[in-house]
Amino acid sequence: MTQTESTVVARHVVVDAPVATAFEVFTARFGDFKPREHNMLQSPIAQTVFEPRVGGHIYDRAEDGSECRWARILAFEPPDRVVFSWDIGPTWQVETDHDLASEVEVRFVAETADRTRVELEHRNIDRHGPGWQSVRDGVDDPEGWPLYLDRYAALLAPAEKS
């Protein structure tokens, strides 16, 4: 399968933290690394919430109080993995038909006791239907999952000593 046909985007980052810490920071502090400029609301984002349970959501709450629920938690298995839907369609609007959503699995794998490999796989992107390639290209772009993972890793980076 060529890049233009691929329905999976896979990225990873290695962080200097134990698995449990890496998982906790990813889920509890998701809003600290999700780019605020990735906004489907009419008002600036005040908070991004990651509800830590199967059946929970990931959603943005705007400064005006409006909300945008753009993901559903499908699996929540601390500290090993989390899976959530990607309910954002090819026009970069919320998709309400769950059959037209892709999914993101994030696995936390110990490399050592204090070092974790975080593996992200965004799969089944073709479920978005016509135009699905724009979803793939968007999340594969440097401003997509690479930006999320870079900002996430920065939260776990050791503080520089002066």
Side-chain angles (χ1 to χ4, degrees), residues 31-32 36 39 41 43-49 59-66:
D32 291 342
R36 298 263 169 128
N39 185 3
L41 294 160
S43 178
I45 293 173
Q47 178 184 27
T48 296
V49 177
Y59 63 94
D60 296 325
R61 181 177 296 125
E63 291 175 357
D64 67 5
S66 61

Side-chain angles (χ1 to χ4, degrees), residues 35 37-38 138-148 151:
E37 60 270 25
H38 293 184
V139 299
D140 198 28
D141 185 86
E143 296 298 310
W145 287 125
L147 177 61
Y148 280 68
R151 290 182 177 184

Side-chain angles (χ1 to χ4, degrees), residues 66-122:
S66 61
E67 292 182 353
C68 176
R69 293 179 183 270
W70 55 268
R72 294 164 286 118
I73 308 303
L74 306 174
F76 191 78
E77 302 167 6
D80 301 313
R81 72 189 272 266
V82 64
V83 180
F84 54 90
S85 64
W86 185 263
D87 299 339
I88 302 171
T91 61
W92 300 99
Q93 299 297 314
V94 171
E95 176 57 65
T96 57
D97 183 344
H98 295 172
D99 291 337
L100 300 178
S102 53
E103 63 184 35
V104 179
E105 179 175 10
V106 185
R107 293 176 302 278
F108 300 82
V109 181
E111 289 197 339
T112 68
D114 294 319
R115 193 169 167 87
T116 302
R117 180 180 174 96
V118 180
E119 300 172 344
L120 182 145
E121 181 182 87
H122 191 149

Side-chain angles (χ1 to χ4, degrees), residues 117-136:
R117 180 180 174 96
V118 180
E119 300 172 344
L120 182 145
E121 181 182 87
H122 191 149
R123 59 185 175 233
N124 304 317
I125 299 173
D126 57 329
R127 286 184 188 163
H128 290 284
W132 65 266
Q133 296 91 341
S134 71
V135 175
R136 185 216 39 229

